[in-house]
Each structure stands twice: as structure tokens, then as C-alpha cells.
Amino acid sequence: MVIGEMESEMDDRAATHTAKPRYEQGSLREDADEIVNDPLRLIHRQSDKTSSKSRSNSVVESLQGDTEKLMRERSIRTNRRTRFINCITRDDVDIAQLRKLAWNGVPEDLRPLVWPLLLGYLPLPKATRTSTLARKRREYASLAETTFSRGREGLDQQIWHQIEIDVPRTRPGVRLWMQGCTQRSLERILYVWAIRHPASGYVQGINDLATPFFQVFLSAYIDTDPEDFDTALLTDNIRMAVEADTFWCLSRLLDGIQDNYIAGQPGIHRSVKRMAELVARIDAPLAAHLELENVEFMQFAFRWMNCLLMREISVQNTIRMWDTYLAEGTDAFSQFHLYVCSAFLVRWSKKLQEMDFQGIIMFLQSLPTQDWTDHEIEMLLSEAFVHYSTWHNAQSHFGK
């Protein structure tokens, strides 16, 4: 496990949301085309915006009272961001240092740089980064062009049919994912991935796993909340960059949990079984109550493993969680995730023990996480880390 100092990073998104009405289409950054060619321009652009925002906010903060606390929180944010920048702008990134920093959350504006480095999509030496990025994007563009060159008739109809069904269901109610342009991008990403991985093909749930990557990479080029952005405003060059980066990072994530999606999904069955055994040791009364009510873990935890809890929490919550997962390495999406799911279930222990079978199933299918922020996710990750530290190397404690 990799863990850094537990500093909670304050989120600037609330201020961003109030600055622009949610019904606006959004706008591209003036230097979006330059960022496509050199993502490090994100750092210089955001530094200018941060200094400007700090000056404009100083008057407001002085009127709010508790100025010392606000200044301390800003200082923590600034110091953490500076450490990230110093790390990722080195000639050769120290991946151990980057993982330690990322465990406690990545600054929102730096994720489009940090995530690809953690996944190994971008090389650690700065000298080869832009050329590698350009090559991988050309490779994806070529794959997509070749795959769709014969139109719909040239596609595997079974795979394409399932993707066509699932894509419109992705993140229902979120404007970004209701748009035709976004859905076409997601269809291409999923289909190209599926035909390159014939052992599994496309499986329901993979569509959800692409959304955090797409939103993070889209955020590099726009000045508004990605979930409200009209992707019809993107140039072809930028759209293809977002698609390609999403495709390659999704591929690397799925490489680590391939057993979840091959025939029979043995990885998920194995994880659910281990989760039941783990919960029995973490919270024996809860495990006993679930058994008494004939609640089987497969009835709720299958989805938690298949979709990595994305049906239970928001994309914003997921993105913060994935900061830590990516800091751990792609194995975390199977190994550490097991402990996160266990901590997630135990969190509701008291309520669940007061319910019968029907109440338990209904509650677990619609958990009250709508108002969760980074704070709740960080508490969950901390609890999971404690369980991981206690039980991960004690394999003999699990049933055989």
C-alpha cells in the first residue's frame, strides 16, 4: 500500500459551479489546441488563474470572518499543488513520490496529467512525453477509422447492439452523457476496446468505467463543469484527443481486472466471496443478520464489483476514489476495492441490522449517498486502508 500524509484537500468546485449557470453550454479554453500538443501547458494556465482568483477572493474572505482558517486552508492547497507540480515537471518523474502525493487526492486541474502518469500511459521521462502522446493518439485514430470504415454493416452486430443499448443509459440525467456527440465518442471507445479483447468482448458496466476518464480529460480543455459541457463545441482534434486518452487509460485499468469480464466473470465471484468472508470478521453481528435474513452478498455486491461502486456514488466521488486507486496501482481496482466495498457495507451496519430481507435489498439498491463529498470518500478510504492493513496479508484467516 502507498499512503501519504492525510491532508484533506479543499474543493474549489463549489465556487466554480456558482460562477457559471448550469444551463450554459460552456466554453473552450483559449489555449485548448496548445494543451492538446503539450499537456504541461495546463500548469502554466492554471497558475495564472489561481493567482488572479486569490487576489479577487481576498476581499471576500476578509468579510467572512474566520480569515485565519481560510488562509490556512488555502496555504495547504497551495503547498500540495506545488509539490505535485514540482514532481510532474521533473525531467524524470519520481513515481513513488507521485503515488504518495496522489493517495490523498489530486488537484482537479492536474488530474489530466497525473492520471496518465500513474497508469503508465504517459512515460515518466519528460523528453519523450509529447511524442508518445501523439503516437498513441494517432494509433487510436487509425484503429477507429479502420474499425468503422465499412459502416455499421462491418461491425460485430451482437457487440454493437449491446453497446447501443447501454450507452444511452450511461449516467442518466447528466447532461454531458445525454448528448449525441458524447454518446458517439463512447460508442467508438467501447467498440474498439471490445474487438481488441475477444476473450471478454463488451460487458455491461464497462461503459460506466469510461466516464471518469472522459470527464477528467475533457476538463483539460474547457472552463466549465464537464458534466454541463456541450461536446458539440469541441474541435475534431480535441475530441479525438479526449477519446484516445480515455481509450488507452480505460484499457490499462481493464487489463488489471480482466477476470471480471471474461466468460463466467470469475474475478467478480471470487471478490464477492472474499468480501463475505471479510465482513464476517470486521462486523460479525452484521454478517449474522444478513445470513439470518437470507441475504446473499451476490444480490448486491456483484454490481459493486462489476461497476466499481459507480452506481452507488457520483462520478465526482468516483474520481476522488480513483485518485487513491491509481496511486495504489491498477491492482487496487480488484484488491483494495474489495476492502472499500466491505467498509462501504459496514458503514450502514446499524441501519441494516434493523431491517428485514426486503428492506435490506431495497436500501442497498438505493443508498443515500447523493450528498457525499470528498470528505465522505476520504473517510471510506481511510476505513478501507485500516481493514487492508489488518487482513490483506492474513490470507489464512479467510475461508478455504
Side-chain angles (χ1 to χ4, degrees):
M1 292 289 288
V2 178
I3 188 166
E5 323 91 68
M6 291 301 291
E7 296 174 350
S8 178
E9 182 185 353
M10 298 298 291
D11 198 341
D12 289 331
R13 281 178 296 203
T16 304
H17 285 177
T18 56
K20 286 184 180 289
R22 294 188 66 83
Y23 57 80
E24 286 190 2
Q25 291 181 321
S27 57
L28 287 173
R29 292 180 172 178
E30 293 177 358
D31 56 351
D33 287 325
E34 288 81 1
I35 293 172
V36 170
N37 298 323
D38 182 10
L40 279 176
R41 287 188 64 93
L42 278 169
I43 293 174
H44 308 305
R45 170 64 182 264
Q46 192 64 24
S47 296
D48 293 341
K49 289 174 66 178
T50 300
S51 61
S52 174
K53 184 164 67 175
S54 297
R55 289 192 299 270
S56 64
N57 283 350
S58 60
V59 176
V60 176
E61 290 180 354
S62 67
L63 298 175
Q64 289 177 333
D66 206 9
T67 306
E68 183 178 344
K69 179 182 177 182
L70 290 168
M71 291 177 66
R72 184 168 62 251
E73 290 171 349
R74 185 197 294 169
S75 176
I76 291 172
R77 290 198 304 272
T78 301
N79 289 340
R80 290 199 75 244
R81 189 172 185 280
T82 298
R83 279 183 282 168
F84 269 99
I85 291 173
N86 290 341
C87 181
I88 62 182
T89 55
R90 291 179 58 179
D91 289 339
D92 198 350
V93 172
D94 182 341
I95 192 63
Q97 181 190 13
L98 186 60
R99 291 188 188 284
K100 184 177 179 180
L101 288 170
W103 209 100
N104 296 310
V106 180
E108 188 173 19
D109 63 297
L110 298 182
R111 282 193 183 107
L113 270 168
V114 172
W115 277 20
L117 288 167
L118 291 173
L119 277 163
Y121 171 48
L122 283 182
L124 300 179
K126 184 165 62 175
T128 60
R129 210 170 291 161
T130 55
S131 60
T132 300
L133 191 59
R135 176 174 55 80
K136 297 299 287 184
R137 287 170 175 172
R138 287 195 304 269
E139 186 177 344
Y140 170 76
S142 177
L143 285 169
E145 182 179 1
T146 302
T147 300
F148 292 95
S149 61
R150 293 193 295 151
R152 179 169 180 159
E153 294 72 22
L155 305 179
D156 181 307
Q157 295 305 306
Q158 185 176 356
I159 295 175
W160 182 250
H161 176 67
Q162 190 59 58
I163 289 173
E164 273 196 318
I165 292 174
D166 286 355
V167 165
R169 297 174 179 173
T170 304
R171 311 310 301 181
V174 178
R175 181 182 179 189
L176 173 67
W177 297 103
M178 295 169 64
Q179 297 168 12
C181 287
T182 312
Q183 292 180 1
R184 300 297 83 76
S185 290
L186 185 57
E187 287 170 354
R188 286 189 289 270
I189 291 166
L190 297 176
Y191 187 82
V192 172
W193 185 87
I195 61 169
R196 282 172 58 88
H197 296 82
S200 61
Y202 172 75
V203 177
Q204 285 180 297
I206 296 178
N207 55 314
D208 289 312
L209 305 187
T211 60
F213 290 121
F214 194 93
Q215 289 187 203
V216 164
F217 293 128
L218 175 62
S219 72
Y221 307 105
I222 64 177
D223 282 324
T224 45
D225 182 353
E227 293 195 348
D228 294 327
F229 186 76
D230 182 358
T231 49
L233 299 175
L234 295 176
T235 64
D236 290 341
N237 192 34
I238 294 173
R239 181 181 296 104
M240 187 54 66
V242 173
E243 272 190 42
D245 296 348
T246 300
F247 171 80
W248 290 116
C249 288
L250 175 67
S251 297
R252 287 182 175 266
L253 184 157
L254 291 173
D255 284 348
I257 53 175
Q258 188 78 6
D259 278 0
N260 286 6
Y261 302 107
I262 61 176
Q265 298 183 274
I268 292 179
H269 288 269
R270 187 166 54 248
S271 293
V272 171
K273 180 176 181 292
R274 290 196 63 202
M275 179 182 169
E277 296 167 349
L278 182 59
V279 170
R281 286 153 178 79
I282 295 173
D283 191 337
L286 173 60
H289 182 70
L290 294 177
E291 185 176 1
L292 181 66
E293 292 296 329
N294 296 312
V295 176
E296 297 183 7
F297 276 68
M298 284 296 291
Q299 293 170 311
F300 61 89
F302 182 91
R303 186 172 78 176
W304 295 9
M305 301 297 175
N306 190 56
C307 301
L308 299 179
L309 287 176
M310 288 196 64
R311 303 282 176 89
E312 281 59 50
I313 58 178
S314 69
V315 175
Q316 288 82 3
N317 290 160
T318 300
I319 287 171
R320 170 59 193 91
M321 186 180 289
W322 284 16
D323 287 341
T324 298
Y325 283 20
L326 292 172
E328 283 293 319
T330 52
D331 282 351
F333 289 88
S334 58
Q335 298 296 319
F336 188 53
H337 183 67
L338 164 69
Y339 295 87
V340 171
C341 287
S342 300
F344 189 62
L345 177 65
V346 170
R347 183 186 183 94
W348 317 104
S349 179
K350 184 177 179 181
K351 288 185 178 181
L352 291 169
Q353 290 184 59
E354 296 171 351
M355 299 176 181
D356 60 9
F357 174 86
Q358 184 176 359
I360 291 170
I361 295 301
M362 291 181 65
F363 180 76
L364 292 176
Q365 287 178 346
S366 185
L367 289 162
T369 61
Q370 297 87 349
D371 297 325
W372 275 28
T373 64
D374 284 359
H375 174 72
E376 284 77 18
I377 295 299
E378 287 162 4
M379 290 296 295
L380 179 64
L381 291 167
S382 297
E383 292 160 7
F385 177 74
V386 171
H387 298 320
Y388 181 96
S389 300
T390 303
W391 296 105
H392 182 63
N393 292 320
Q395 298 296 331
S396 60
H397 288 277
F398 290 99
K400 295 181 181 178

